[in-house]
Amino acid sequence: MSEPILEIRDLRKSFDALKATDGVSLDLRPGQIHALIGPNGAGKSTLIHQIAGTLKADSGAIRFLGQDIGGLDTAARARLGLARSFQISSLAQEFSALRNVMLAVQAKAGNSFRFFRQVTSDKSLTEPAMAMLERVGLAGRAHVPAAELSHGERRQLEIAIALALSPKAFLFDEPMAGMGPESSKKLTTFLDGLRHEAPMLLVEHDMDAVFALADRISVLVYGRIIASGTVDEIRSDSEVRRAYLGEAA
Ligand SMILES: Nc1ncnc2c1ncn2[C@@H]1O[C@H](COP(=O)(O)OP(=O)(O)OP(=O)(O)O)[C@@H](O)[C@H]1O
Ligand SMILES: [Mg+2]
């Protein structure tokens, strides 16, 4: 089996007496969509925050592309190619969708922000930015300010921004949340294609999406992974059904 892109080992994080992450280990391998499911409050977002660097783990290891990244800040992890999407606050609300992606293209190229005003028509920025918007199906909304985009369109824009950074792995925390069935279906198809670009750790409550996409599913309950396996293995695991899927096992 190929080497993992992301390796989590015995990660622990407590909030006072609450063990939100209680000895979590998992691997994300090339080409893989690894879904992380579990009930509300299980610690899924807390885990994503520790991987992205917005929360510091109490102990344990996070290795990305073979490097221990536990001591790096969020920006340094992003520069290594760890893309976290669906941070609404990361969008510049007053800027158009296109400008938002151009900022990411420019950041990737390492240019200074100061010169942004002069380069809004620079083809080396507009062309790749427009290509990203086309990929996510948002080209027709390129000139609309981020603040005026619908919920689903913002998520598409955030993916375009993540793509502009040429990520080596994606961390997605509930990308389908708040979407209607049509948009969810479209996003599912899109994420399916994205796995060949970079593997993803996908936190999602939409089980149709999880079962359609996941190569591997890990089930988190009270900060611990109680089961990890293929879709079929997880669907037929009686403990998982009792703990999470809400079926009489
Ligand atoms: N900053 C914090 N301070 C104190 N407790 C926290 C903090 N962040 C999360 N928690 C607690 O840690 C536990 C795990 O929360 P987390 O948000 O990671 O769950 P989740 O699995 O993402 O849930 P959901 O499915 O509802 O998004 C919860 O009991 C939550 O209340
Ligand atoms: Mg959460």
Side-chain angles (χ1 to χ4, degrees):
M1 211 187 284
S2 48
E3 285 294 301
I5 301 255
L6 179 69
E7 297 174 75
I8 312 297
R9 290 294 174 272
D10 198 22
L11 210 66
R12 291 171 193 274
K13 175 78 188 173
S14 293
F15 298 113
D16 298 320
L18 177 78
K19 292 179 178 176
T21 308
D22 192 9
V24 169
S25 297
L26 63 81
D27 288 338
L28 179 64
R29 294 179 185 280
Q32 194 177 56
I33 296 183
H34 191 145
L36 185 65
I37 65 170
N40 294 121
K44 304 177 297 296
S45 295
T46 301
L47 184 61
I48 296 286
H49 282 305
Q50 289 167 88
I51 300 170
T54 38
L55 260 183
K56 197 171 164 13
D58 295 338
S59 66
I62 305 169
R63 278 188 291 274
F64 181 55
L65 305 169
Q67 179 182 345
D68 189 334
I69 60 165
L72 301 181
D73 66 16
T74 312
R77 293 182 201 200
R79 277 196 297 276
L80 284 177
L82 195 53
R84 190 174 49 139
S85 193
F86 314 122
Q87 302 159 270
I88 302 291
S89 59
S90 70
L91 298 177
Q93 300 293 336
E94 72 279 18
F95 284 177
S96 68
L98 182 64
R99 258 201 181 202
N100 269 282
V101 184
M102 285 168 68
L103 280 172
V105 172
Q106 194 178 27
K108 171 73 182 169
N111 293 336
S112 164
F113 257 68
R114 278 177 298 144
F115 301 115
F116 187 65
R117 282 184 190 283
Q118 285 95 324
V119 296
T120 47
S121 58
D122 184 337
K123 277 197 169 138
S124 69
L125 294 177
T126 51
E127 283 178 358
M130 202 62 196
M132 299 302 165
L133 288 176
E134 263 159 32
R135 281 198 60 193
V136 302
L138 211 54
R141 306 279 280 162
H143 300 290
V144 176
E148 289 171 27
L149 296 175
S150 73
H151 188 72
E153 286 171 340
R154 281 157 179 254
R155 300 241 139 135
Q156 286 167 283
L157 176 55
E158 285 157 0
I159 296 178
I161 289 169
L163 283 172
L165 299 169
S166 316
K168 304 281 195 316
F170 291 107
L171 304 173
F172 287 164
D173 194 354
E174 298 195 40
M176 316 284 175
M179 278 192 178
E182 274 303 302
S183 309
S184 294
K185 248 191 206 149
K186 267 196 212 156
L187 185 57
T188 301
T189 306
F190 182 75
L191 294 181
D192 197 21
L194 214 54
R195 82 176 78 216
H196 301 294
E197 190 135 347
M200 75 185 77
L201 187 60
L202 174 69
V203 172
E204 187 49 66
H205 282 291
D206 179 337
M207 295 311 290
D208 289 338
V210 166
F211 289 146
L213 289 171
D215 300 291
R216 190 162 192 90
I217 301 177
S218 292
V219 184
L220 196 69
V221 178
Y222 292 123
R224 289 177 162 271
I225 290 183
I226 61 159
S228 189
T230 62
V231 169
D232 287 344
E233 285 163 358
I234 294 302
R235 284 183 112 150
S236 59
D237 186 307
S238 57
E239 193 185 352
V240 172
R241 290 163 72 134
R242 261 198 311 276
Y244 182 55
L245 299 179
E247 296 170 23

